[in-house]
Amino acid sequence: MPAIRPPAKPILALAGALALSGCALSGCSGSEAATPAYPTWHNPGVNAVSRTVSAGGVAATTSLLPGGTLETVAFDLASGRKLWAQPATMAGRLPGMGVPAPALVDTGGGQTVAVTVDPFRRGRWNALLVARDARTGARRWTRPLNSTFGPQRCGALVCVPENTALETARMVVLDPATGKVLWKLPGIAEVEWSDASRAVVLRLARHPVLESRDLRTGKLVWKLPVEQPLGAGVDLSGGWSFGATSGNLVGYVAPYTVPSTKKLSAFGFFSVRIADGTVNWIRPSVVRVYPSGNPGFAPVVRPVDEQGRYGGFARLDAESGRVLGQIPSDRIPGSGWWLAFPERMDTLGFLKHGKAGTVFDLATGRPGEITGRRGWSFCVTDPKPLALRNQVPGFYSVASLCEFDLARGEKVTPRGPGAPPAWFTGSQGGWRIWRDEKGGLHGVEDGTGTAPGMYG
């Protein structure tokens, strides 16, 4: 089937080479009946290329300017009104990781800080970490950087991988109000989950490890080698993604073809208990399909055998790893299709552009009536890399979804506010924000419970 850029993040193998994954499966979604009127907004004056984050009544994203440079843009969450914008950059980020979003951290007392990577060239420094008042844009503090994958919110703190291109790579944990370093972790790490007291980080190494750390002291709570659930030979060059359920963290590591052996690395899904790192369930040798739900929310997978042949499709229960429904491989309709899911992901459609597709009930695996069926799919199936100035090529914007008539294979005007499914957009505090085909941002406050979207 067609391949697209991978939304999951590839990794720098600390022992040596930079190796990026090549492909990911595609997928889609379908629509529902007309929805009630909810507070909505649309801001077309931006070309959002990163995820959009929100906190403290503010939303923020990284936008691409016509000249090929980046800027951080902050919006009022309730109205979509632009609050401020400042130049942004990337310094040492890998293309397959996508363009990073800023980090928004609620510091209490009605104050929220936006932490960004700004252009800055001086000596060995290639960028500047800047903390601003999220609503006014007023600068709070700065920290020079050599190379970084970008800041992340971790609980009420800021976690930043620094010197990622150097042997002195480390993750620093900062007070968002002052920029003070609270503790450090050697090597490269990424935050996959956090609450007010702890963070679970993925140590990006030849033998990757999940670690739970006390946010106040940095003390290790538990650790889990990723190879323990998935088997020896895990290689993060293929990409990875994580999502949380109620008390558990569900991880996905994508396959990677090792150049020296031409064999696939170990890959698949697994779940660990956030409290103590106990493995709950394992689904090895399956790949995540796109678009689809976050690993912690309605994941859809395909098995892959040792020869690299794909099987059918299955939706998993993120809590138990149990198969909720599947489509056998002998029912998959040839090639040239893209997946399509409805709001509740209870059916799986195969979209063929300009032609009639097919649809299956995910619970029973039986084919369904295609007439009148709609589905959401990637608006563009052959995206072009972003024309970024002074950056290595290969970065793409986050994808947009469009609604299609599956019987005709044509785009249709969405019903209601036109919001893509919640499993794609995710939701924070009742607000869902998404990017349209032109990069403009939309928001709707529909009261959807807080949940991760496809991109986290």
Side-chain angles (χ1 to χ4, degrees), residues 156-239:
L157 307 177
V158 180
C159 293
V160 186
E162 294 185 330
N163 300 339
T164 52
L166 305 176
E167 292 183 356
T168 55
R170 63 187 183 181
M171 185 183 79
V172 295
V173 181
L174 310 175
D175 182 328
T178 65
K180 177 183 176 182
V181 176
L182 303 179
W183 51 275
K184 305 173 185 179
L185 194 63
I188 303 175
E190 180 182 80
V191 178
E192 306 302 348
W193 174 90
S194 66
D195 65 6
S197 60
R198 287 200 287 169
V200 177
V201 301
L202 177 65
R203 304 289 296 271
L204 310 182
R206 178 181 290 276
H207 300 286
V209 177
L210 278 177
E211 292 183 352
S212 176
R213 295 271 172 175
D214 181 280
L215 277 176
R216 184 177 61 86
T217 64
K219 180 180 178 181
L220 179 68
V221 179
W222 56 259
K223 68 177 180 179
L224 174 73
V226 176
E227 290 177 322
Q228 180 177 319
L230 294 183
V234 167
D235 191 323
L236 294 180
S237 300

Side-chain angles (χ1 to χ4, degrees), residues 36 55 88 94 129-130 166 199 222 309 316 369 384 435:
L94 305 178
L129 191 71
V130 180
L166 305 176
W222 56 259
R309 293 187 296 256
L316 305 180
E369 173 59 48
K384 303 298 187 293
R435 174 189 189 273

